Amino acid sequence: GGWDVSQGVQMTWSKGDIWQACIQLPAETVFHYKYVLCDSERDGKVGEVMWQEGSNRLLAVGKEGAHEIRDFWGLGVDDSPPAL
């Protein structure tokens, strides 16, 4: 999304408080990213926004093929995203 929240990848929730998204990225590139919580307004525009704290995350994409990335909101497995 180029740090534009309205252009970001929307994730879907699944059982066990797991959020998922499937995206295609060019092979052998590096991406910086963060998670952000967005509260939608009725007209579909982005309302209240909360960016993940801390440094940007870094993803180095290897050769072509499927890759599964597992992350957490905070620094450890017990860090759940806060409610908006």
Side-chain angles (χ1 to χ4, degrees):
W3 303 109
D4 178 352
V5 173
S6 66
Q7 300 297 313
V9 175
Q10 188 170 5
M11 301 178 80
T12 56
W13 182 88
S14 63
K15 191 175 182 177
D17 279 340
I18 296 173
W19 289 87
Q20 300 178 30
C22 185
I23 59 174
Q24 292 184 353
L25 300 170
E28 299 181 357
T29 53
V30 176
F31 292 90
H32 294 264
Y33 68 100
K34 273 192 173 189
Y35 296 108
V36 61
L37 296 174
C38 301
D39 190 18
S40 299
E41 295 180 351
R42 285 185 182 217
D43 58 5
K45 293 182 181 176
V46 175
E48 186 178 352
V49 172
M50 179 183 294
W51 285 88
Q52 182 181 38
E53 294 181 357
S55 301
N56 294 341
R57 293 175 181 259
L58 181 70
L59 175 62
V61 180
K63 297 186 185 240
E64 292 184 31
H67 303 282
E68 182 175 310
I69 309 301
R70 294 177 182 234
D71 272 337
F72 299 98
W73 174 263
L75 300 175
V77 285
D78 295 330
D79 294 325
S80 300
L84 284 178

